[in-house]
Amino acid sequence: MCEMAKHALEPGPMVSIIVPVYNAAEYIEEAFYSVTAQTYRNWELILVDDASTDTSRDCLRRILEHSGQDPELSGKVRVFFSEQNKGPAAARNTGLRAARGRFVAYLDADDLWKPAKLEAQVAFMQRGGYAFGFTGYEFADSRGHPNGRTVRVPKSLTYREALGNTTISTITVMFDRERIPDWLLAMPEDSPREDTAAWWRILRHGYTAYGLNEALSVYRRHGGSYSANKWKAVCGTWKLYRENEGMTVREAGSYFVKYLIRAVRRRI
């Protein structure tokens, strides 16, 4: 077999997919199948239940049982059950500690990935030698049906640029653990917007986030999602500027206006 053919058969680096689960029985199996439908096959799925009170745990046990019976999925899916509700940051950090892959990606239990998401993003990360990547995404209704609204992303974001542009969605990010240490990837568990706080901290340490402007994820909008409570999101962002980043009122206000303008544009 020629060297080119051998290379084509070699699997790419493993991607550890971390999914926090809390009262997501209505959606989690659909999210699971959006992972198993990925064209990129070298992944592991880590599902972390954050002490759900609905039937999410039953759903996760079914997923684990189904995966164990499928030769292609056997050993690729792991489930962790927390006995205390600690929030999505703690659940993601549990998944990060268990991760075995070179790359880490996050998917929320009520959202979806398009089949080419991992394949396109891993190629993008390797082609550019990037440590921190993110992509575009599209909005959908509670049933997961896209509504035609797509979020476009810039080619790159530095720390200062990201302060006024919170376009990085958790379900689109990917990190190279060979370039960013796990202690820096861990999300702050006491922050009102743990994901944005984590991105800013990583960027503050000198990294740049690189955007792949393709809508590869589907973000549901429904009453149970964090961003559906817009006032809570707005207050949380202001708190990040003032408390996490230690900004004066004037400096925070300058970035806050930019954040509000871009947030509104993404939703109209």
Side-chain angles (χ1 to χ4, degrees):
M1 185 181 293
C2 69
E3 289 300 314
M4 185 176 295
K6 286 182 181 178
H7 180 73
L9 292 175
E10 293 175 358
M14 178 187 285
V15 180
S16 295
I17 304 161
I18 300 171
V19 183
V21 180
Y22 180 69
N23 290 353
E26 183 179 356
Y27 307 108
I28 185 58
E29 291 189 31
E30 192 173 357
F32 167 71
Y33 286 119
S34 81
V35 172
T36 62
Q38 291 297 303
T39 56
Y40 188 87
R41 304 308 300 168
N42 192 14
W43 52 260
E44 65 169 354
L45 178 61
I46 303 170
L47 299 149
V48 184
D49 181 78
D50 191 27
S52 293
T53 57
D54 66 353
T55 59
S56 291
R57 293 193 168 203
D58 294 332
C59 294
L60 293 175
R61 291 186 182 98
R62 285 198 300 271
I63 286 172
L64 194 59
E65 182 180 3
H66 167 76
S67 302
Q69 295 172 349
D70 186 330
E72 188 177 351
L73 298 179
S74 182
K76 297 182 70 170
V77 179
R78 287 181 287 158
V79 178
F80 296 85
F81 296 102
S82 174
E83 297 307 316
Q84 182 180 356
N85 179 256
K86 296 181 180 180
R92 293 188 185 108
N93 289 342
T94 294
L96 181 62
R97 288 190 293 271
R100 299 175 296 203
R102 171 179 169 181
F103 291 105
V104 168
Y106 297 113
L107 176 63
D108 286 344
D110 55 350
D111 294 322
L112 304 166
W113 281 347
K114 295 185 179 179
K117 196 269 188 187
L118 290 182
E119 182 176 8
Q121 195 166 18
V122 169
F124 174 74
M125 297 284 286
Q126 291 190 296
R127 187 166 58 247
Y130 302 138
F132 183 170
F134 64 104
T135 77
Y137 58 97
E138 61 183 351
F139 289 111
D141 61 22
S142 61
R143 295 171 296 175
H145 298 156
N147 61 17
R149 297 178 186 270
T150 299
V151 175
R152 300 176 61 82
V153 297
K155 290 183 178 180
S156 64
L157 285 172
T158 62
Y159 170 63
R160 287 291 171 183
E161 291 168 338
L163 289 173
N165 187 348
T166 58
T167 191
I168 301 175
S169 172
T170 307
I171 63 172
T172 76
V173 299
M174 182 174 287
F175 300 104
D176 186 345
R177 299 170 73 200
E178 290 188 357
R179 292 181 167 86
I180 305 179
D182 281 0
W183 67 263
L184 188 53
L185 292 178
M187 290 190 176
E189 299 180 13
D190 58 351
S191 173
R193 299 199 66 181
E194 73 286 339
D195 47 1
T196 299
W199 314 157
W200 290 356
R201 186 181 64 188
I202 293 168
L203 297 175
R204 197 190 316 124
H205 276 76
Y207 295 92
T208 297
Y210 291 92
L212 174 59
N213 192 27
E214 296 180 24
L216 299 173
S217 302
V218 179
Y219 186 95
R220 290 187 204 254
R221 285 170 137 178
H222 57 82
S225 64
Y226 177 83
S227 64
N229 188 336
K230 295 180 178 61
W231 178 247
K232 184 177 180 182
V234 167
C235 292
T237 302
W238 175 257
K239 188 174 182 180
L240 285 185
Y241 289 129
R242 295 284 285 136
E243 297 183 8
N244 287 56
E245 306 308 308
M247 294 183 181
T248 64
V249 172
R250 182 174 181 178
E251 187 179 15
S254 174
Y255 284 113
F256 191 64
V257 169
K258 295 176 183 177
Y259 150 72
L260 287 176
I261 292 173
R262 289 191 170 97
V264 170
R265 285 177 178 172
R266 283 199 297 273
R267 288 162 172 78
I268 61 175

